[in-house]
Amino acid sequence: MNDLNDDLLEMFRRRESDIGAPASPPTQLVARTRRREWRSAGIGIAVAVIVVALSIAGFRSLGAPDGPQPGDVGPTTTTTVSGITITYPERWFAEDPVTLGIEPSLDGHRTLPTLVLMLTRDDPRKQGVLGCPTMADVPPGQLLMTVQETPLAVSGEASAAWPVPLRTWAGFGGDAGCYPGWSGMRAAWTAAGRSFEARLGFSPEATDEDRAALLDAFASMSFVPGSVAEGESVTLGSGSAAGDTWTLIATRDASGVAWTLQTDSAGYGSSVDANPTVPSVGVSVMGQGMQLAVVIMPKDVRSVVLDAGGKVLGDFALFPIPAGWGDAQFAVIPLPGSGTGSVLFRDPQGNDAYPPESISWNASGEPSPAEAQAVNELPWTNEGGTTTSTGRFAGIDWNTQVLFYLDGVRLTIDGTAEDLGVLQLDDPVVRPLDSDGFDALVLVLTDTSVDHVSITSEGTWHGRWMPASTGDGGEARLWVIEVPGAGEGTLLFDGQLSGDVRWP
Amino acid sequence: MAMDPDVTEPTAEAPAPTGRLEELYVRNAPGALRLAYFLTGNRELAEDLVQEAFVRVAGRFRHLRVPDAFDAYLRRTIVNLSTSQLRRAKLERAYAVRHATEPSVVAEPGDPAVRDELWQALHTLPERQRAAIVLRFYEDLSEQQSAEILRCSPGALNQLVVRGMATLREQIGDSER
């Protein structure tokens, strides 16, 4: 072991003391973890019901009759869970997800959204409640309902007053492997100063009696005030952009007011001055192709306009935070494609209430040829998730395509395509350009920190890159180096030796 | 380091989880935080990263084929996050936003962070090189284990270590070592 190794080890030991260890998980972390569990289409919950039914069926086969038979609805009972009073078949199970361990109750702290009620036909506590129903030999006819308390909705679907109708929900369709043929319904509403969302799932074999009983149970619910969560949360508004839905939520607790912007796959937020004196604008990248400008402004702004190169977009909804919290109000502006512009803040007379704010955005990230050339980047396009670059070397056309990250790279030379699969980082792949075995392309995947790749032999040939992915979806660069003739040389990353390469 | 060095791919159906979330956190957070700290060089960002990793792994706990390898999954996720688009696109934003509203943590002249040249040099390395060095030297993982976490071949892993160490030598002006 040399001195540098020793120094590293000593430094690591010394630095270990920099980090303390929290005794318990932050409340927000627990809530996020549970929400993530729930987001997988209620898999754990639905599976719990189904696999429990398997257990029950097994008990029955041993001559120990227990639990309801499909369609055996029987008399009803009424109970209150998390401030929700519900009437349901007495052989069924209306449970508090905290009791079941589905939702946390860490020192009594909960944040919204959080599951507050599960209604299942079979006991979700039975052994084997977790798993994919199609992977276990579960009896048919399962169904369930879950109710989630959400931040208080002051507008949009969830602000509708209870009772509300159920609507078809295709959430189970995204998990056909575990829930083949399952149908779903959902509804969102506000009652007793609380907002909720319910999801109902029915396997194809669910009996008409069980279906009717579940729907009756849904319709029977009534609510009492008092959120299960500490602090206050309000859904200010929602909308869609780039095929995804965003929701703007404001929360208030002892530390003040904060906002979050959420989609199914991303979240972004910050604390906010509840009584701003001037507007502010930030651009949030929420996912593939979705960029949103979040505008926070004083109450005297009556409308917001985006002037994007002479194209004026307006009529954006304004979302004030609740009265009593402050007078801040929000607007969310979807930003199409790429561009620059100014956000204008109008007073009631249509005049500028405040100076405009300049913003710029770039949804695609696709470089112009000039931009690409300036940074060793190949011109590329992205369509349907496939990134493509083309070139011509030694009189032969080539084309590289970065496919979905698990599929890797496809290289086409002179019209003949070859799937190279997922490339290993830093390991070059060489392909000849013609059948004579002269002239070649060297492809190598690097992390994004590498800004220059070259091959040095009797000459030096410089690579150009296009955006790519590692095998686990991480960001990477796919470098293409065109090398003439045949030979061998040294592959350099940012001027540093990486290895030898031969071509073709 | 308390974390189990074995990184095991799913191989069999998961039993129902028995560990409480809190227990998992208490057991794994110290090692995870240190790993994230060494990868990021920043305590706050490390905490963000560990939280994100914990949410990801614990949120999938029921679907892990080998729940006992929770720490190994967590380690892999931390390393991936530290080099992934998510960290750049999301965590750094969250970090920047938070620091826009909270007092910044700025190294004072007497702070060891300023004095520790090697520490600073480590954090000028490209993320994967730094991760390779941390996994090999601090986590004491084998080449194969480190390569699995970084999703590269052992040869490429060695290249990352070699390049990283060469840069460290240059940075600390110790080319004779």
Side-chain angles (χ1 to χ4, degrees):
Chain A
M1 185 174 287
N2 61 30
D3 291 347
L4 182 56
N5 294 8
D6 292 338
D7 289 348
L8 269 172
L9 290 173
E10 195 276 332
M11 180 199 68
F12 284 137
R13 278 194 296 271
R14 194 171 63 248
R15 286 282 169 180
E16 279 184 339
S17 61
D18 290 356
I19 284 283
S24 60
T27 304
Q28 188 67 22
L29 182 149
V30 177
R32 288 184 62 208
T33 303
R34 298 304 185 191
R35 282 204 297 278
R36 187 180 183 94
E37 291 176 324
W38 166 238
R39 276 198 194 106
S40 56
I43 288 172
I45 299 160
V47 166
V49 179
I50 294 166
V51 182
V52 160
L54 174 64
S55 305
I56 293 170
F59 281 120
R60 283 194 179 125
S61 69
L62 294 173
D66 187 15
Q69 294 280 359
D72 181 12
V73 174
T76 59
T77 188
T78 299
T79 191
T80 298
V81 177
S82 305
I84 303 173
T85 300
I86 185 170
T87 300
Y88 61 100
E90 67 177 8
R91 291 185 177 182
W92 291 18
F93 297 84
E95 301 286 352
D96 182 348
V98 171
T99 306
L100 294 173
I102 299 295
E103 280 285 4
S105 179
L106 188 66
D107 300 328
H109 294 299
R110 296 178 73 176
T111 57
L112 303 181
T114 183
L115 287 171
V116 290
L117 171 66
M118 297 174 53
L119 179 63
T120 62
R121 201 188 65 186
D122 298 300
D123 187 352
R125 293 179 185 80
K126 295 272 188 174
Q127 181 69 28
V129 296
L130 302 171
C132 179
T134 54
M135 294 172 68
D137 185 18
V138 300
Q142 298 302 313
L143 71 173
L144 79 154
M145 177 174 75
T146 58
V147 180
Q148 184 168 230
E149 185 174 349
T150 59
L152 183 65
V154 295
S155 63
E157 177 197 11
S159 66
W162 177 261
V164 294
L166 284 161
R167 302 182 189 283
T168 301
W169 177 60
F172 287 101
D175 195 11
C178 286
Y179 299 92
W182 275 59
S183 57
M185 303 184 81
R186 67 175 294 278
W189 67 92
T190 295
R194 304 164 66 190
S195 293
F196 299 94
E197 181 192 26
R199 294 180 178 180
L200 285 67
F202 308 88
S203 73
E205 299 82 10
T207 66
D208 291 343
E209 293 81 1
D210 283 351
R211 288 170 184 262
L214 192 64
L215 295 174
D216 287 347
F218 168 79
S220 77
M221 289 191 291
S222 61
F223 309 90
V224 297
S227 171
V228 298
E230 67 278 2
E232 301 166 273
S233 297
V234 176
T235 299
L236 299 180
S238 60
S240 61
D244 203 352
T245 300
W246 56 263
T247 301
L248 181 66
I249 296 169
T251 59
R252 183 175 72 161
D253 58 22
S255 64
V257 177
W259 62 273
T260 57
L261 192 61
Q262 295 185 353
T263 68
D264 279 346
S265 58
Y268 181 52
S270 177
S271 59
V272 62
D273 181 352
N275 297 288
T277 55
V278 293
S280 60
V281 184
V283 175
S284 301
V285 180
M286 299 300 294
Q288 188 70 32
M290 182 195 271
Q291 289 189 118
L292 301 169
V294 178
V295 184
I296 305 168
M297 57 208 139
K299 65 179 178 182
D300 54 344
V301 175
R302 297 302 170 84
S303 64
V304 172
V305 173
L306 173 63
D307 182 348
K311 184 178 180 182
V312 177
L313 306 172
D315 200 24
F316 300 109
L318 302 186
F319 306 115
I321 63 176
W325 291 21
D327 57 17
Q329 54 181 349
F330 290 82
V332 178
I333 304 174
L335 300 170
S338 305
T340 60
S342 296
V343 179
L344 312 179
F345 311 99
R346 304 294 200 199
D347 65 14
Q349 289 73 43
N351 300 317
D352 286 339
Y354 296 93
E357 286 273 337
S358 297
I359 61 172
S360 62
W361 64 96
N362 181 1
S364 68
E366 295 180 7
S368 67
E371 289 171 334
Q373 187 65 35
V375 291
N376 293 331
E377 188 171 356
L378 285 161
W380 51 269
T381 60
N382 187 296
E383 290 184 15
T386 297
T387 306
T388 303
S389 284
T390 59
R392 184 175 175 84
F393 179 55
I396 295 174
D397 292 322
W398 59 263
N399 166 322
T400 49
Q401 291 182 300
V402 176
L403 311 173
F404 179 61
Y405 73 91
L406 291 175
D407 297 327
V409 173
R410 176 177 296 157
L411 173 63
T412 302
I413 295 177
D414 203 17
T416 301
E418 177 189 8
D419 283 328
L420 302 177
V422 177
L423 302 186
Q424 293 283 346
L425 277 170
D426 304 345
D427 285 351
V429 172
V430 180
R431 289 294 181 272
L433 271 176
D434 66 15
S435 57
D436 294 334
F438 287 98
D439 309 320
L441 295 181
V442 178
L443 275 60
V444 61
L445 194 71
T446 72
D447 61 60
T448 55
S449 68
V450 177
D451 291 321
H452 188 249
V453 170
S454 61
I455 294 174
T456 298
S457 179
E458 65 272 18
T460 297
W461 300 278
H462 302 282
R464 290 182 295 161
W465 63 271
M466 60 188 290
S469 301
T470 59
D472 58 357
E475 198 175 358
R477 290 178 173 178
L478 177 65
W479 293 83
V480 181
I481 310 117
E482 298 165 324
V483 286
E488 61 182 79
T490 302
L491 183 64
L492 299 169
F493 294 163
D494 291 333
Q496 295 186 27
L497 173 67
S498 173
D500 296 329
V501 61
R502 294 183 179 186
W503 69 95
Chain B
M1 185 79 189
M3 297 169 76
D4 184 347
D6 294 329
V7 176
T8 311
E9 287 294 347
T11 54
E13 178 62 24
T18 54
R20 299 279 301 163
L21 196 58
E22 293 86 345
E23 294 168 355
L24 284 172
Y25 191 84
V26 169
R27 194 172 72 220
N28 292 284
L33 272 173
R34 285 194 293 270
L35 173 60
Y37 178 50
F38 292 153
L39 292 173
T40 64
N42 182 288
R43 272 167 279 194
E44 288 75 22
L45 188 55
E47 288 170 3
D48 287 345
L49 201 142
V50 168
Q51 288 199 16
E52 182 66 29
F54 199 84
V55 167
R56 289 185 172 210
V57 180
R60 292 176 175 173
F61 191 85
R62 293 187 176 86
H63 308 293
L64 298 183
R65 304 293 186 178
V66 187
D68 288 345
F70 181 90
D71 49 359
Y73 286 104
L74 188 64
R75 180 193 291 110
R76 172 178 283 178
T77 304
I78 287 169
V79 173
N80 285 343
L81 282 176
S82 76
T83 59
S84 73
Q85 184 175 12
L86 174 66
R87 187 183 74 82
R88 283 184 286 272
K90 185 176 176 184
L91 290 177
E92 284 189 348
R93 278 205 308 274
Y95 176 67
V97 167
R98 199 172 72 183
H99 274 236
T101 58
E102 292 182 359
S104 298
V105 178
V106 178
E108 298 297 330
D111 190 323
V114 174
R115 300 196 308 264
D116 198 331
E117 193 180 17
L118 186 55
W119 174 255
Q120 294 188 8
L122 178 70
H123 291 94
T124 63
L125 294 180
E127 288 164 350
R128 287 176 63 82
Q129 290 181 18
R130 180 165 63 247
I133 288 173
V134 171
L135 292 172
R136 289 286 283 124
F137 288 90
Y138 176 67
E139 294 282 317
D140 199 24
L141 300 185
S142 69
E143 285 180 7
Q144 185 63 39
Q145 288 168 335
S146 303
E148 283 179 1
I149 289 177
L150 288 173
R151 305 276 189 181
C152 64
S153 65
L157 183 278
N158 269 337
Q159 287 292 334
L160 289 171
V161 172
V162 167
R163 284 157 52 195
M165 294 293 278
T167 304
L168 286 180
R169 287 191 179 91
E170 287 178 12
Q171 296 255 358
I172 63 174
D174 194 3
S175 56
E176 289 80 23
R177 295 189 192 220

